[in-house]
Amino acid sequence: MINIKFPDGKVKQFPEGTTALYIAKSISEGLARNVLAAKVNGEVWDATRPINKDAELFLLTWDDKDGKAAMWHSSAHLMAEALEALYPGVKFGIGPPVDNGFYYDVDLGGQVLSMEDLKKVEDKMKELAKQGNTYVRKDVSKNEAEKYFKEKGDEYKLELISELQDGNITFYQQGNFVDLCRGPHIPNTGLIKAIKLTNIAGAYWRGDEKNKQLTRIYGITFPKQKELDEYLNMLEEAKKRDHRKLGKELEIYTFDEDVGPGLPLWLPNGAVIIEELEKLAKKTEQEAGYKRVRTPHLAKENMYKTSGHLPYYAESMFPPMEMEGEKYYLKAMNCPHHHKIFATLNPSYRDLPIRLAEYGTCYRYEQSGELFGLMRVRSLQMNDAHIYCTREQFAQEFRAVNDMYLKYFRIFGIDKYVMRFSTHSKEKLGKKYVNEPELWLRTEEMVRNVLIESKIPYVEVPDEGAFYGPKIDVQVWSAIGREFTLATNQVDFAVPARFGLTFRNKDNNPETPICIHRAPLGTHERFIGFLIEHYAGNFPLWLNPVQVAVLPISDKYSDYAKKVCRMLNNCDIRTLIDERNEKIGKKIRDTEVKKIPYMLVVGEKEEKDSAVSVRRHGEGDKGSMSTESFVKLVTEEISRALNV
Ligand SMILES: [Zn+2]
Ligand SMILES: [Zn+2]
């Protein structure tokens, strides 16, 4: 018998050679039907692979990232099986899972696939899935592996095998299809209930343009048809909400050839959004005891050597410029500048925690192929701050940072979020991770406790921490369910030491502080890109570049309209006036298109009563009221939105 330890700490005995699937069945048939793979001692395995010694077991379902990956990876094999049935002689490159589905690179011998052809492949996959064939793992020798693919005539697989070590090679077979693969896979093809092949593209073998171009076929699969339908709807909706399309229509930002790729120009509407976000961040941070600093956009080479950015991060930085015999770099991060400020403050333990905040502009070199609207850019303005604290203060500071996140989530109506908590690996201390075993364990424990206490949904990812401490990536879902990584928090116990940062402790001895890097609103670029999709361009009143449009019914009321407009602007309500010589119906329709939250229609009656007729975007007529009452309505709505 072997001992199987479950995530809740309970241990149960099972016969040697048992499988995750068998164990799941012993718990419940329902659970077993949902098991896609399993984590055995931290490694993702087939749920059908025999477990021969004591192990920690975590069953993976569709709800787990690794469960999805196993499903999608297995779907790539299923697609290959379908392709082989339809196009005998097809050769296969690699077929991995990706963020949303999977792909396989294939050599169809010059044949070009159309979208109709894909439909046939899809239908074949459905037919094969219904057979419910099991994915069978088999250890093979290098000789055997080479013999198989030589006979099949697949030079791509042969090239892959030539790089593998004998004794370390496995095949997987489902139905008639055999593939070279490390796995893991789902138990059988019957679990794949909904299939959609989404795209065809060209891809050079091994990403090298000197090699042959293969056909890359993308697809996605789900365990339920309903989930596929929802996904396709979401994609359709996302297209309408695309931040590049709406960003242009709503005149938020633009790019210019002469300025350069990845360097967004914020138009007046975008600048208003930026300023409102900064106002919110500054107020929130001031209330939380942060102090604001300002730092230049560049620094000498030497500072980035101290910080370790050079040479390790050099590829992501703009190349240096030379001045007076010195090299200067545009900053890719604000931390080193803030560390220098901390050093100047020369604090004692009584001054800690010190929280230095700045909406800092950074520059990062992204390859032109990687640039994407506001999501991947070369200049970014970051909602940055560094908190320097003692070890005793750490838990409280970290909790406060989390509370700040939760407050922002409420303000922006972000209902779904997950913190990805990346920790260290004991074996890699001193190599991948700074060699502070005690500090790692203690800090991770504190982070974990805070996450549990604050009831924040989180997943723990072993062995993905940063070099100098655990890392928390914040993933959020937009209103239509698309996932974005907005921000990263890092706990840092090494860099303060690299900079020689200390405070005087109670015994008047120098001690190194812990530094928390945090940026809850990420960068303006990515966050506004997210918000455009999240709100479909219908920004809430407080954030909308124009809050009110005054629409005079005719020229005759233009003076009164101007008076209303002036009064609102004096009350800090962003108001414009539509003085065009157009029918009021057209003015209303045009204002709707611009997604301006409030419209005030003014004519003879309104002028006589010193009133305005109010229409709310998307809601319609709200009746007539005095201008003062309208100001009150607007200010109260804004205050409600920001104090949640
Ligand atoms: Zn595989
Ligand atoms: Zn930082």
Side-chain angles (χ1 to χ4, degrees):
M1 298 296 271
I2 55 169
N3 294 313
I4 297 295
K5 189 173 168 194
F6 293 92
D8 62 4
K10 289 203 182 95
V11 178
K12 260 168 117 180
Q13 289 204 323
F14 290 90
E16 194 183 318
T18 186
T19 65
L21 197 58
Y22 176 84
I23 294 171
K25 270 188 190 139
S26 80
I27 300 169
S28 92
E29 283 288 339
L31 174 63
R33 274 196 298 276
N34 288 320
V35 167
L36 298 174
K39 239 183 208 168
V40 179
N41 292 327
E43 216 181 303
V44 186
W45 274 28
D46 306 323
T48 50
R49 187 166 163 189
I51 305 172
N52 293 321
K53 53 179 192 201
D54 292 355
E56 278 184 31
L57 181 74
F58 185 90
L59 297 169
L60 295 166
T61 67
W62 182 249
D63 295 328
D64 304 291
K65 222 177 169 137
D66 289 324
K68 281 192 180 76
M71 168 78 124
W72 288 334
H73 182 72
S74 307
S75 303
H77 284 237
L78 183 69
M79 180 170 79
E81 185 183 0
L83 283 166
E84 198 161 72
L86 295 171
Y87 305 95
V90 56
K91 297 170 193 173
F92 296 98
I94 53 159
V98 287
D99 276 350
N100 279 301
F102 59 89
Y103 68 78
Y104 219 129
D105 287 344
V106 300
D107 182 349
L108 289 155
Q111 192 162 345
V112 180
L113 287 193
S114 65
M115 288 310 274
E116 279 96 86
D117 295 327
L118 276 198
K119 185 79 191 67
K120 281 182 207 137
V121 180
E122 212 176 276
D123 290 340
K124 190 76 189 169
M125 285 173 75
K126 287 177 190 161
E127 183 192 318
L128 295 167
K130 280 208 185 98
Q131 295 175 4
N133 295 320
T134 46
Y135 288 88
V136 182
R137 184 177 199 271
K138 186 182 168 204
D139 286 302
V140 290
S141 71
K142 196 163 179 165
N143 263 337
E144 245 178 298
E146 277 170 341
K147 187 163 167 276
Y148 180 83
F149 283 104
K150 231 175 246 161
E151 269 166 27
K152 203 177 165 191
D154 191 329
E155 65 263 29
Y156 305 104
K157 294 291 174 189
L158 283 170
E159 186 177 325
L160 295 174
I161 293 167
S162 73
E163 291 159 15
L164 296 175
Q165 290 225 305
D166 201 4
N168 213 357
I169 301 176
T170 48
F171 277 3
Y172 274 86
Q173 178 165 10
Q174 94 274 4
N176 293 323
F177 179 75
V178 176
D179 207 345
L180 167 76
C181 187
R182 260 188 314 237
H185 292 279
I186 58 175
N188 68 73
T189 60
L191 294 159
I192 304 171
K193 300 280 193 214
I195 300 167
K196 181 81 195 165
L197 297 186
T198 49
N199 206 359
I200 315 173
Y204 294 106
W205 169 234
R206 314 203 93 169
D208 186 341
E209 56 192 285
K210 283 186 227 95
N211 289 339
K212 189 165 176 185
Q213 195 172 40
L214 306 179
T215 305
R216 177 168 294 180
I217 307 175
Y218 287 95
I220 188 163
T221 53
F222 293 87
K224 285 187 190 128
Q225 182 63 37
K226 189 171 148 266
E227 282 169 349
L228 171 60
D229 295 343
E230 281 169 5
Y231 175 76
L232 294 176
N233 277 339
M234 190 266 282
L235 283 190
E236 204 47 49
E237 188 58 35
K239 227 186 262 169
K240 285 186 226 152
R241 293 172 176 230
D242 190 325
H243 80 275
R244 293 166 302 169
K245 176 175 165 278
L246 284 179
K248 191 170 173 204
E249 285 170 16
L250 300 172
E251 297 181 357
I252 291 173
Y253 74 97
T254 188
F255 288 104
D256 184 279
E257 287 266 325
D258 288 342
V259 176
L263 302 169
L265 295 172
W266 293 98
L267 305 180
N269 285 342
V272 171
I273 297 175
I274 285 188
E275 275 166 28
E276 285 298 326
L277 290 174
E278 291 196 7
K279 211 155 78 184
L280 171 67
K282 283 174 187 170
K283 182 166 176 284
T284 308
E285 284 160 7
Q286 194 201 347
E287 284 167 4
Y290 288 65
K291 294 204 162 66
R292 304 207 76 79
V293 294
R294 295 277 189 139
T295 60
H297 292 204
L298 69 176
K300 273 159 54 175
E301 179 182 35
N302 202 35
M303 181 160 82
Y304 294 112
K305 281 187 176 158
T306 308
S307 68
H309 286 103
L310 292 176
Y312 304 110
Y313 195 73
E315 269 183 17
S316 303
M317 294 175 79
F318 274 64
M321 46 199 133
E322 293 225 13
M323 260 189 315
E324 298 164 350
E326 299 269 10
K327 277 188 187 157
Y328 284 79
Y329 281 85
L330 283 170
K331 68 174 168 188
M333 285 177 183
N334 302 302
C335 343
H337 283 90
H338 290 186
H339 293 341
K340 288 290 184 188
I341 291 176
F342 177 88
T344 312
L345 296 175
N346 187 25
S348 92
Y349 71 96
R350 291 175 202 279
D351 303 312
L352 263 48
I354 289 177
R355 311 177 188 92
L356 302 178
E358 175 180 22
Y359 246 109
T361 304
C362 300
Y363 301 88
R364 291 185 188 166
Y365 175 68
E366 300 271 3
Q367 289 183 9
S368 38
E370 301 281 311
L371 296 172
F372 179 75
L374 288 176
M375 289 295 157
R376 281 288 197 100
V377 286
R378 286 176 175 168
S379 76
L380 23 117
Q381 304 159 75
M382 198 188 291
N383 171 222
D384 215 355
H386 295 92
I387 301 170
Y388 303 87
C389 62
T390 65
R391 290 169 189 204
E392 295 72 37
Q393 290 164 336
F394 172 78
Q396 197 188 338
E397 288 305 307
F398 184 70
R399 189 173 302 125
V401 168
N402 274 310
D403 288 346
M404 197 179 280
Y405 269 99
L406 295 179
K407 177 186 160 172
Y408 287 140
F409 291 161
R410 287 194 299 275
I411 289 177
F412 293 103
I414 297 169
D415 302 324
K416 189 177 171 198
Y417 48 86
V418 162
M419 304 233 176
R420 243 174 95 82
F421 170 35
S422 303
T423 56
H424 78 299
S425 132
K426 204 167 60 192
E427 289 74 36
K428 296 180 188 163
L429 281 170
K431 284 170 271 179
K432 191 174 167 192
Y433 303 107
V434 50
N435 198 1
E436 291 266 16
E438 275 291 293
L439 208 47
W440 273 104
L441 288 176
R442 192 142 38 97
T443 322
E444 285 169 2
E445 181 68 21
M446 284 192 282
V447 169
R448 200 176 292 114
N449 287 342
V450 173
L451 289 171
I452 293 168
E453 258 171 54
S454 345
K455 299 198 173 63
I456 294 176
Y458 78 98
V459 286
E460 196 165 325
V461 200
D463 195 16
E464 281 190 14
F467 172 68
Y468 47 73
K471 182 174 92 165
I472 298 102
D473 293 302
V474 182
Q475 272 151 313
V476 300
W477 279 261
S478 73
I480 54 166
R482 217 153 64 113
E483 186 182 340
F484 290 80
T485 300
L486 276 194
T488 299
N489 294 339
Q490 278 173 5
V491 185
D492 180 344
F493 26 76
V495 174
R498 292 186 72 124
F499 273 84
L501 302 186
T502 57
F503 62 95
R504 290 183 310 286
N505 65 16
K506 285 191 177 118
D507 310 318
N508 214 20
N509 290 324
E511 193 176 313
T512 304
I514 291 182
C515 175
I516 303 174
H517 306 241
R518 44 110 280 175
L521 299 180
T523 64
H524 280 320
E525 288 71 19
R526 187 169 281 221
F527 195 60
I528 292 174
F530 164 78
L531 289 181
I532 292 173
E533 175 178 312
H534 184 57
Y535 293 126
N538 290 303
F539 291 101
L541 184 62
W542 70 274
L543 199 53
N544 214 298
V546 180
Q547 294 165 314
V548 179
V550 184
L551 317 180
I553 287 178
S554 77
D555 278 359
K556 268 209 295 201
Y557 310 104
S558 152
D559 281 343
Y560 178 61
K562 277 182 193 151
K563 196 177 139 200
V564 170
C565 186
R566 243 191 336 267
M567 181 179 163
L568 295 179
N569 278 322
N570 285 342
C571 297
D572 281 334
I573 298 171
R574 296 183 291 273
T575 311
L576 59 71
I577 181 166
D578 185 349
E579 285 189 288
R580 292 175 306 159
N581 196 7
E582 295 283 359
K583 292 242 162 53
I584 190 69
K586 175 155 176 55
K587 287 185 183 181
I588 291 176
R589 280 193 305 278
D590 289 351
T591 313
E592 288 280 350
V593 170
K594 288 186 204 147
K595 304 177 195 272
I596 297 171
Y598 280 106
M599 281 178 240
L600 303 180
V601 178
V602 295
E604 187 181 356
K605 189 172 177 309
E606 285 78 13
E607 177 163 14
K608 194 168 111 279
D609 300 346
S610 288
V612 290
S613 281
V614 182
R615 291 180 69 90
R616 182 75 165 95
H617 176 74
E619 291 175 21
D621 202 349
K622 293 276 169 190
S624 168
M625 61 182 80
S626 72
T627 321
E628 290 76 20
S629 302
F630 177 69
V631 170
K632 196 157 166 265
L633 180 93
V634 167
T635 39
E636 280 176 4
E637 184 179 333
I638 291 175
S639 142
R640 263 199 314 276
L642 292 175
N643 294 295
V644 284

